[in-house]
Amino acid sequence: MKPSKGLSVIADIYISGFSEVLDELLKHPENANEQRFFAGYAGWAQGQLEFEIARGGWYTLPLDVDAIFRMNPLTIYDELLKRATIRRIETRREFRDGTTAVAGRY
């Protein structure tokens, strides 16, 4: 269900800064197994976040829908921090037709 004041991140995952969105979602406990709520706030000046990421001040990971919905909420932070800080082994193969295959593991 798309929230009225939500921004689509991917598929059925949305982000919103409006408390009434959370209020509305909490009125539907029948969907509780399909929902996760993460609350927090951070604010930056224009370009500040990009600068901090570029200088290595943040860990970034690819979006992992399974992590959002299947990982234990009590351990998700520590598990994702481990993923971000463990060296990743990646192999890349380029084919004659110009396509590239990438495989990686932690």
Side-chain angles (χ1 to χ4, degrees), residues 13-57:
I13 299 175
Y14 299 90
I15 186 171
S16 178
F18 296 93
S19 61
E20 57 266 23
V21 171
L22 180 59
D23 293 340
E24 186 60 33
L25 290 170
L26 291 174
K27 291 178 184 176
H28 300 280
E30 67 276 9
N31 299 328
N33 289 335
E34 301 171 6
Q35 298 174 343
R36 287 276 176 106
F37 303 100
F38 298 90
Y41 172 80
W44 293 271
Q46 185 174 358
Q48 180 181 353
L49 177 58
E50 292 83 358
F51 173 76
E52 291 178 6
I53 291 171
R55 74 165 192 220

Side-chain angles (χ1 to χ4, degrees), residues 4 7-8 17 23 37 48-49 58 79 81 86 95 100 105:
S4 60
L7 176 66
S8 176
D23 293 340
F37 303 100
Q48 180 181 353
L49 177 58
W58 289 88
E79 291 297 319
L81 184 59
I86 292 175
F95 298 95
T100 301
R105 67 178 205 167

